[in-house]
């Protein structure tokens, strides 16, 4: 009975707030002579703050046109903007900037939804050792990470040197499919120096770039390493969940002037990989069994950062070049 009453109260509060919100919108429209979309665009600076407010306004609107505008095809955005302007009785000649602002927001909103679909497609595609393209990507990963060490054979214990669990890496991609391989190769290729350094540190953590004084201060005399490739796949899972949950909207809406792409997602992965490596060293876990604890603590820190509407995960290394557009 108590559960039923609690649910009833929550439903009543929801509809009350919904009604109150619509009343406030009506009053503000009469007082300012502007609809909510206009008020947002004219009072909020470009970026995540504006785009997320526009997205909420469109999604919660009672108008079917506005509700569906967040999921239109990118080619239909321009016409959708014209339809919205007509519905809201806004003269585009008098308010030219509004159409431009709405278009930029819709490109980001629709682009984010499409990015989720693209990432999900890669995640669902399993690694196939009979697929020449998959095999080529895997072999290139080795070349980028170990440029001075030839791979003796496709099935080899050497794969453990870059952090795979056995002599055939294909079994390690099951959780994240091709997405894990795409991200690892992107990191290894686009920022080879940092990727190779992170790999080296993961194998020999006490030989990382921390100075002797820093090691003594942090008591890292028994620093524990980790499996580079396996952690990369795990961080891919973290990046994927941040994307699907909407947490990465803050980052993408702040750095991508239009639609965020797969390259933006992979650049975010590079940042997370790099930051997790530093976080792992700083945490100085007793053994690898503490991985889940460290990962969860790292996840909470990233989520807290992304709750700031002005936040952008801006890595300062080669993989980010040409992608940060503040």
């Amino acid at each position: 009975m108590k559960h039923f009453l609690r649910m009833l109260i929550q439903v009543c509060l929801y509809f009350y707030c919904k009604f109150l919100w619509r009343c406030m919108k009506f009053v503000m429209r009469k007082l300012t002579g502007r609809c909510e979309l206009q008020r947002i665009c004219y009072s909020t600076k470009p970026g995540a703050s504006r785009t997320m407010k526009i997205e909420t306004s469109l999604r919660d609107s009672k108008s079917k046109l506005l509700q569906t505008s967040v999921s239109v095809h990118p080619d239909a955005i321009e016409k959708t903007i014209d339809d919205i302007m007509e519905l809201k009785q806004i003269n585009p000649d008098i308010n030219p900037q509004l159409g431009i602002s709405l278009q930029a927001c819709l490109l980001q909103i629709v682009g984010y939804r499409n990015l989720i679909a693209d990432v999900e497609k890669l995640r669902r595609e399993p690694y196939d050792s009979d697929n020449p393209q998959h095999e080529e990507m895997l072999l290139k990963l080795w070349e980028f990470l170990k440029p001075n060490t030839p791979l003796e054979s496709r099935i080899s214990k050497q794969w453990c040197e870059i952090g795979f669990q056995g002599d055939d890496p294909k079994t390690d991609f099951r959780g994240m499919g091709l997405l894990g391989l795409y991200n690892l190769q992107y990191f290894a290729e686009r920022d080879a120096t940092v990727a190779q350094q992170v790999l080296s540190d993961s194998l020999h953590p006490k030989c990382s770039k921390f100075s002797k004084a820093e090691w003594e201060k942090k008591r890292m005399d028994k620093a524990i390493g980790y499996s580079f490739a396996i952690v990369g796949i795990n961080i891919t899972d973290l990046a994927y969940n941040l994307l699907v949950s909407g947490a990465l909207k803050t980052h993408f809406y702040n750095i991508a002037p239009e639609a965020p792409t797969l390259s933006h997602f992979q650049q975010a992965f590079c940042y997370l990989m790099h930051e997790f490596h530093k976080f792992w060293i700083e945490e100085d876990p007793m053994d690898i069994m503490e991985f889940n604890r460290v990962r969860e603590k790292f996840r909470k820190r990233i989520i807290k950062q992304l709750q700031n509407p002005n936040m952008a995960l801006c890595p300062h290394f080669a993989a980010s070049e040409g992608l940060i557009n503040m």
Side-chain angles (χ1 to χ4, degrees):
M1 187 64 180
K2 288 183 179 180
H3 179 70
F4 173 76
L5 288 174
R6 193 185 307 116
M7 290 289 293
L8 183 62
I9 292 172
Q10 289 177 343
V11 171
C12 290
L13 282 173
Y14 171 78
F15 283 107
Y16 173 75
C17 293
K18 200 82 169 176
F19 174 76
L20 184 63
W21 177 65
R22 293 196 186 282
C23 289
M24 289 179 63
K25 285 178 63 178
F26 176 78
V27 172
M28 290 298 293
R29 176 75 186 248
K30 291 299 182 182
L31 289 175
T32 64
R34 293 174 175 175
C35 69
E36 185 178 39
L37 296 177
Q38 287 176 293
R39 294 195 300 273
I40 293 171
C41 287
Y42 293 149
S43 64
T44 310
K45 66 179 183 179
S49 293
R50 176 190 287 180
T51 302
M52 293 175 79
K53 287 180 181 179
I54 290 292
E55 186 173 12
T56 300
S57 178
L58 293 172
R59 189 182 60 242
D60 295 343
S61 174
K62 61 182 179 181
S63 166
K64 193 70 175 176
L65 170 64
L66 269 61
Q67 290 176 8
T68 58
S69 65
V70 298
S71 56
V72 298
H73 190 277
D75 294 340
I77 287 178
E78 192 170 341
K79 182 181 184 305
T80 300
I81 298 298
D82 293 338
D83 293 340
I84 291 174
M85 299 281 277
E86 183 178 352
L87 176 68
K88 294 294 183 178
Q89 298 180 343
I90 301 171
N91 189 331
D93 296 328
I94 300 175
N95 301 273
Q97 188 58 41
L98 178 63
I100 296 173
S101 298
L102 284 177
Q103 185 174 21
C105 289
L106 272 185
L107 281 169
Q108 290 182 319
I109 294 166
V110 171
Y112 191 93
R113 292 170 65 95
N114 291 339
L115 175 58
I116 291 177
D118 292 341
V119 168
E120 183 65 31
K121 183 179 179 181
L122 284 175
R123 189 186 74 87
R124 289 179 177 273
E125 185 174 353
Y127 183 90
D128 183 3
S129 56
D130 293 326
N131 187 316
Q133 184 182 2
H134 296 186
E135 287 287 286
E136 182 182 3
M137 289 182 64
L138 181 60
L139 294 175
K140 280 188 175 294
L141 175 62
W142 174 272
E143 292 174 9
F144 292 138
L145 290 173
K146 306 279 284 185
N148 299 319
T149 306
L151 184 66
E152 295 175 0
S153 63
R154 168 62 180 79
I155 307 297
S156 170
K157 288 294 184 182
Q158 283 182 286
W159 289 112
C160 296
E161 295 177 21
I162 61 173
F164 287 105
Q165 292 179 323
D167 55 8
D168 191 350
K170 71 176 184 180
T171 58
D172 293 326
F173 291 117
R174 287 172 183 168
M176 284 285 107
L178 275 189
L179 185 62
L181 178 56
Y182 265 73
N183 280 351
L184 283 169
Q185 188 196 8
Y186 186 92
F187 184 34
E189 179 181 9
R190 297 300 182 94
D191 201 35
T193 302
V194 171
Q196 289 170 28
Q197 184 63 55
V198 170
L199 171 61
S200 176
D201 292 351
S202 71
L203 295 169
H204 311 287
K206 196 172 179 180
C207 298
S208 74
K209 291 184 177 179
F210 282 105
S211 67
K212 182 178 179 181
E214 287 175 312
W215 276 102
E216 292 175 350
K217 181 179 179 181
K218 295 177 182 293
R219 294 174 296 179
M220 295 181 180
D221 55 311
K222 295 182 180 179
I224 301 298
Y226 56 82
S227 299
F228 176 88
I230 295 299
V231 169
I233 294 170
N234 198 288
I235 296 300
T236 292
D237 176 74
L238 172 60
Y240 167 78
N241 283 291
L242 290 173
L243 177 72
V244 173
S245 69
L248 277 176
K249 284 182 179 180
T250 308
H251 168 67
F252 288 136
Y253 290 170
N254 280 328
I255 65 131
E258 295 185 349
T261 64
L262 183 61
S263 292
H264 287 104
F265 176 77
Q266 292 175 308
Q267 171 253 321
F269 163 79
C270 292
Y271 172 85
L272 292 172
M273 190 70 179
H274 194 229
E275 289 299 300
F276 178 80
H277 172 67
K278 293 191 295 183
F279 190 76
W280 175 267
I281 297 295
E282 290 168 0
E283 282 291 299
D284 190 22
M286 294 296 294
D287 54 51
I288 196 64
M289 298 303 291
E290 288 199 71
F291 178 82
N292 287 338
R293 176 191 66 80
V294 176
R295 182 192 185 277
E296 179 61 16
K297 189 175 179 180
F298 177 72
R299 184 189 70 84
K300 289 180 178 178
R301 189 178 78 165
I302 293 297
I303 288 178
K304 185 176 181 180
Q305 291 175 350
L306 290 170
Q307 288 172 347
N308 178 357
N310 298 317
M311 181 63 187
L313 306 176
C314 295
H316 300 291
F317 48 89
S320 67
E321 291 180 2
L323 290 176
I324 301 298
N325 300 290
M326 295 300 290

Coordinates of all heavy atoms in Angstrom, one line a residue, residues 47 72 75 77 89 181 243 250 267 269 316:
G47 N 27.2 25.9 -27.4 CA 27.9 24.8 -26.7 C 26.9 23.9 -26.0 O 25.7 23.9 -26.3
V72 N 15.3 13.5 -36.9 CA 15.2 13.5 -38.3 C 16.5 13.2 -39.0 O 17.6 13.2 -38.3 CB 14.8 14.9 -38.8 CG1 13.4 15.3 -38.2 CG2 15.8 16.0 -38.4
D75 N 19.8 15.3 -43.6 CA 19.5 16.0 -44.8 C 18.2 16.8 -44.7 O 17.9 17.7 -45.4 CB 19.4 15.1 -46.0 CG 20.7 14.5 -46.4 OD1 21.8 15.1 -46.0 OD2 20.7 13.4 -47.0
I77 N 17.2 18.4 -41.9 CA 17.3 19.4 -40.8 C 16.9 20.8 -41.2 O 16.2 21.5 -40.6 CB 18.7 19.4 -40.2 CG1 19.0 18.2 -39.3 CG2 19.0 20.7 -39.3 CD1 20.3 18.0 -38.7
Q89 N 5.6 30.9 -35.8 CA 5.3 32.2 -36.4 C 6.4 33.2 -36.2 O 6.3 34.3 -35.7 CB 4.0 32.7 -35.7 CG 2.8 31.9 -36.0 CD 1.5 32.4 -35.4 OE1 1.6 33.3 -34.5 NE2 0.4 31.9 -35.8
L181 N 39.0 -3.1 -31.1 CA 40.1 -3.0 -32.1 C 40.3 -1.7 -32.7 O 41.4 -1.2 -32.9 CB 40.0 -4.2 -33.1 CG 41.1 -4.3 -34.2 CD1 42.5 -4.4 -33.5 CD2 40.8 -5.4 -35.1
L243 N 28.8 7.2 -23.7 CA 28.1 7.7 -24.9 C 26.7 7.4 -24.8 O 25.8 8.2 -25.0 CB 28.8 7.1 -26.1 CG 28.1 7.4 -27.5 CD1 28.4 8.8 -27.9 CD2 28.6 6.4 -28.6
T250 N 27.9 16.5 -23.0 CA 28.6 17.7 -22.6 C 29.9 17.9 -23.4 O 30.1 19.0 -23.9 CB 28.9 17.6 -21.1 OG1 27.7 17.3 -20.4 CG2 29.5 18.9 -20.6
Q267 N 38.8 9.9 -30.3 CA 39.6 10.8 -29.7 C 39.3 10.9 -28.2 O 40.2 11.0 -27.3 CB 39.4 12.2 -30.3 CG 40.1 13.4 -29.6 CD 39.1 14.2 -28.9 OE1 38.0 14.5 -29.4 NE2 39.5 14.7 -27.7
F269 N 38.2 8.3 -26.5 CA 38.8 7.1 -26.0 C 40.3 7.3 -25.7 O 40.8 6.9 -24.6 CB 38.6 6.0 -27.0 CG 39.5 4.8 -26.7 CD1 39.2 3.9 -25.7 CD2 40.7 4.6 -27.4 CE1 40.1 2.8 -25.4 CE2 41.6 3.6 -27.2 CZ 41.3 2.7 -26.2
H316 N 45.7 16.8 -24.7 CA 46.8 17.6 -25.4 C 47.9 16.6 -25.9 O 49.0 16.6 -25.5 CB 47.4 18.6 -24.3 CG 46.4 19.5 -23.8 ND1 45.9 20.5 -24.5 CD2 45.9 19.6 -22.6 CE1 45.0 21.2 -23.8 NE2 45.0 20.6 -22.6

